Amino acid sequence: MEGFSSIECFVRSAEVGSFAEAARRLGLTPAAVGKSVAKLEARVGVRLFQRSTRRLTLTEAGRLFLAEVSDSLHTIQHAVSSLANAQGRPAGTLKVSVGTVFGCLYIVPLLGAFLARYPDIQPDWHFDNRQVDLIGQGFDAAIGGGFELPPGVVARRLTPAHRVLVASAAYLHGRGPISEPADLRDCRGILIRSPQTGRIRTWQLTGRAGGQQPLELKAAMTMSDSEAACIAAAQGLGVALVSMPFAVNHLRSGALRRVLPDWYVDDGFTSIYYAEHKMLPGKTRAFVDFVIQQFAEQGLAQAFSAV
């Protein structure tokens, strides 16, 4: 097991180019990771890294060794994770990435029922609205929408990713009718700025009866989060374009109303992502299947659809 641990420290350090970052991901100290790699180098009799104050660089021998052991390490880890599943007990640390507000609203509420069914799984959930490197950062799964699908990663659809226009009754009161997309030109817009690029995207509205038109809504203010935009719109500050999962509770409570209910933005799907493996760890399979089942039972695909 000591040799296996040394190889894991070597592979993680090679992936991220740093003992410190590898240590963070492995839950160890940088000194422990460096010492473990040094023992491995002493055991194999060659230097695997060129060390500098800024970064680790693989030697030629290190690159050859990494190519030989990387896939085998992943296979062994998945096999170990699946041992408990053979007895009907998925186990281990489950590292998941999900958007902050979406996770709090729709994923964290599943935690109690999930752990009641799988008590040997330890959640390690990270809340971030940015796309993560699922494999490189060691995540078991991620939930989100609009992600690029890198090699080795698969996606299972959960719900449509529709965006809708909303405003408060107070803002709409006394205004002229908003019956066509062109009527939005005179409205105060509450628009979402991409947390990745910092830009405001150009959106196309899709009609329920077919056809598309550009969204012509001038930004009176910008937000980087749909929930924040909903709260601003509920104060009568303008018309907001927001993701349906965040709008639905405000619409049900009456705090917001749909503007142009026959029009919406089709932004693809919200999906659950995980690494494609012949032998998927039991903990990951259990989580993926559980989330898909719960979303289906709660009818969230229908609730989040704008049509």
Side-chain angles (χ1 to χ4, degrees), residues 29-43:
T29 66
V33 172
K35 184 177 180 181
S36 185
V37 171
K39 286 183 177 180
L40 178 62
E41 289 177 321
R43 188 176 299 117

Side-chain angles (χ1 to χ4, degrees), residues 3-138:
F4 178 81
S5 176
S6 294
I7 292 174
E8 184 176 24
C9 287
F10 162 72
V11 171
R12 295 291 171 254
S13 299
E15 289 174 342
V16 300
S18 164
F19 286 153
E21 179 62 18
R24 188 182 68 81
R25 298 183 183 187
L26 291 169
L28 301 172
T29 66
V33 172
K35 184 177 180 181
S36 185
V37 171
K39 286 183 177 180
L40 178 62
E41 289 177 321
R43 188 176 299 117
V44 298
V46 295
R47 183 174 290 276
L48 301 173
F49 287 113
Q50 295 289 353
R51 295 158 171 82
S52 72
T53 56
R54 299 182 63 183
R55 186 171 177 84
L56 295 174
T57 304
L58 284 168
T59 63
E60 180 63 26
R63 284 192 291 272
L64 292 172
F65 188 63
L66 179 65
E68 291 288 338
V69 303
S70 184
D71 288 343
S72 298
L73 174 66
H74 293 150
T75 299
I76 293 170
Q77 288 176 323
H78 296 148
V80 170
S81 297
S82 297
L83 282 176
N85 193 43
Q87 303 298 323
R89 300 191 315 274
T93 299
L94 180 71
K95 188 176 179 181
V96 175
S97 173
V98 63
T100 304
V101 179
F102 186 89
C104 290
L105 288 175
Y106 301 107
I107 304 302
V108 175
L110 306 178
L111 184 57
F114 180 71
L115 291 180
R117 186 180 300 183
Y118 304 109
D120 295 325
I121 292 178
Q122 179 183 351
D124 177 16
W125 291 2
H126 298 243
F127 297 88
D128 195 331
N129 294 325
R130 295 170 297 179
Q131 182 176 358
V132 298
D133 181 353
L134 191 79
I135 297 175
Q137 294 179 259

Side-chain angles (χ1 to χ4, degrees), residues 162-233:
H162 290 168
R163 297 174 186 262
V164 294
L165 293 157
V166 297
S168 70
Y171 181 78
L172 296 173
H173 181 70
R175 299 186 60 85
I178 304 175
S179 55
E180 297 291 338
D183 297 331
L184 294 169
R185 294 171 184 166
D186 298 325
C187 295
R188 289 172 53 84
I190 304 172
L191 298 183
I192 303 299
R193 187 180 297 278
S194 168
Q196 287 83 21
T197 66
R199 299 176 180 175
I200 299 174
R201 287 180 58 180
T202 300
W203 300 102
Q204 288 288 325
L205 291 171
T206 298
R208 193 188 300 265
Q212 289 190 326
Q213 291 196 34
L215 174 63
E216 299 183 76
L217 184 62
K218 295 180 181 178
M221 63 185 73
T222 58
M223 305 280 178
S224 64
D225 180 82
S226 281
E227 179 67 11
C230 285
I231 295 171

